Amino acid sequence: MRLLVMGGTWFLGRRIAEDAMKRGWEVSTFTRGRSGTDVPGVQAQRGDRTAVDDLRGLATKGPWDAVIDTSSSDLAPRDVLLATSALKDVVSRWVHVSTVSVYQDWPHHPLSESSALLECPADADSTYGYTGEGGSPTVYGFQKAGGERAVDRAFAGRAVFLRPGVILGPGEYVGRLPWWLNRAERGGRILAPAPGSRVIQPVDVRDVATFALDQAQGVLPGSFNVAHPEGITFTRFLETCLTVTGAAGDPVWVGPETLSANGVKQWTEIPLWRTHEGVWAVDASRATAAGLRCRPVAETIADTWAWLRSEGRPVPHPRWAEHGIDPAKEAAVLASL
């Protein structure tokens, strides 16, 4: 099996490259060489995926049985189209890592693969789309929907779309779970979003990598929501963070109305907290039927803490700084209760 990973030096892309090597596959990666390090043994190709000459040069290194694209999150649809057009004759199958944000109803309503997608042309530039009142839909969602169209234009009948919500685990660069773990370690009174019984559905990066590789080796096209089928309650999530860090924290569960009245931002200041009905109501049964297996979220939490203790933070990324409430603001909210 000859595999090309678009990306491949950090988080999901790196895990995919590592696991493909363990399967005995011949693995190439395509990066600019600016973030992370190459996985030992891969055939590292350098270039800018938005430069047509670099893509044409990459195509001469083929053919490949499959591509797994993990590096299109910040690209305009027309840049995705540039890559798919350049590689369509030297690649048999394209596995595209997309997002649940492509759905019109996310995060307001429960989702399945039959839910309607946002409309965006395959050749749209980075200005296409808008962010609605209340933060949904988003420009990001429109752009990713256009990226899916760009893949489908070149690989119709040969494409797989993976639509995860939140991916956590060792190597996480966004900083959601690392923030919670570091906050738990500090202990004391911890501002927590009620109700604690709310179930969240983050998936482990290692399980997403396994599923992506299985789909690369498959033959059928299709789309899959990639979310934890069982999930974990917020209470259990925070308890596990406290347990693995050995901290003596005291969660103070505060309702959404009070948090909002104190100007606490959902999703960023309290990572993974969002009140919309559909944000953690993503039907992943189709992926589960196709072989997605998710380890317990508690295992992901423990392994991420072990990684933080042994290796520290991943490659620098601006989103890391977005997550977590300022300690002074947290203390002020708690004092006001």
Side-chain angles (χ1 to χ4, degrees):
M1 180 80 176
R2 299 194 75 221
L3 176 71
L4 171 63
V5 182
M6 303 294 277
T9 58
W10 47 302
F11 202 40
L12 178 59
R14 185 176 189 85
R15 179 62 62 175
I16 287 171
E18 290 173 340
D19 289 358
M21 293 288 293
K22 292 177 182 177
R23 294 188 184 202
W25 296 4
E26 182 180 327
V27 182
S28 298
T29 58
F30 184 63
T31 71
R32 294 176 299 177
R34 299 177 184 175
S35 301
T37 58
D38 295 316
V39 172
V42 304
Q43 298 176 16
Q45 311 295 336
R46 295 284 184 254
D48 184 341
R49 61 173 296 169
T50 67
V52 65
D53 288 343
D54 289 0
L55 289 167
R56 287 171 178 165
L58 175 63
T60 66
K61 308 297 183 181
W64 292 278
D65 297 300
V67 165
I68 301 179
D69 187 359
T70 68
S71 67
S72 66
S73 61
D74 296 324
L75 294 181
R78 67 180 182 183
D79 292 324
V80 178
L81 183 62
L82 195 68
T84 56
S85 298
L87 298 174
K88 65 181 180 180
D89 294 330
V90 293
V91 170
S92 298
R93 186 170 176 81
W94 191 285
V95 178
H96 192 72
V97 180
S98 186
T99 169
V100 292
S101 295
V102 299
Y103 290 112
Q104 292 181 17
D105 284 342
W106 193 86
H108 302 286
H109 303 289
L111 297 173
S112 70
E113 288 83 0
S114 62
S115 300
L117 303 181
L118 294 169
E119 294 291 334
C120 180
D123 57 355
D125 65 19
S126 61
T127 66
Y128 191 93
Y130 64 92
T131 295
E133 186 176 350
S136 178
T138 61
V139 171
Y140 173 74
F142 281 103
Q143 294 281 306
K144 292 292 281 184
E148 288 195 12
R149 284 181 174 267
V151 173
D152 198 50
R153 178 181 291 189
F155 284 86
R158 298 187 289 149
V160 176
F161 300 101
L162 307 184
R163 296 173 182 152
V166 171
I167 303 175
L168 303 178
E172 184 200 334
Y173 64 91
V174 174
R176 295 184 176 105
L177 179 52
W179 182 85
W180 274 113
L181 286 163
N182 289 326
R183 177 62 191 90
E185 185 188 29
R186 293 205 313 269
R189 298 177 77 211
I190 301 173
L191 187 64
S197 58
R198 178 186 292 271
V199 174
I200 60 177
Q201 297 177 281
V203 288
D204 191 291
V205 62
R206 295 164 291 186
D207 299 327
V208 179
T210 297
F211 187 63
L213 289 168
D214 290 345
Q215 292 305 309
Q217 200 172 16
V219 295
L220 297 177
S223 301
F224 298 95
N225 294 333
V226 183
H228 203 293
E230 298 173 0
I232 189 172
T233 65
F234 229 114
T235 295
R236 177 62 176 151
F237 174 87
L238 187 47
E239 286 175 346
T240 305
C241 288
L242 290 166
T243 297
V244 301
T245 59
D250 179 22
V252 179
W253 296 93
V254 180
E257 297 83 2
T258 301
L259 291 174
S260 297
N262 281 275
V264 178
K265 297 177 182 177
Q266 299 185 38
W267 210 238
T268 52
E269 286 192 304
I270 298 186
L272 305 176
W273 169 59
R274 201 166 183 177
T275 58
H276 300 82
E277 178 188 1
V279 67
W280 298 118
V282 178
D283 181 3
S285 58
R286 188 170 190 271
T288 300
L292 174 66
R293 297 294 179 266
C294 293
R295 69 197 68 205
V297 179
E299 182 178 329
T300 301
I301 295 170
D303 290 349
T304 301
W305 180 242
W307 164 73
L308 285 170
R309 298 287 284 178
S310 64
E311 299 180 39
R313 63 187 298 170
V315 294
H317 195 280
R319 293 187 67 186
W320 186 280
E322 295 177 359
H323 292 90
I325 189 169
D326 181 85
K329 182 174 180 179
E330 180 186 24
V333 174
L334 289 169
S336 72
L337 299 176

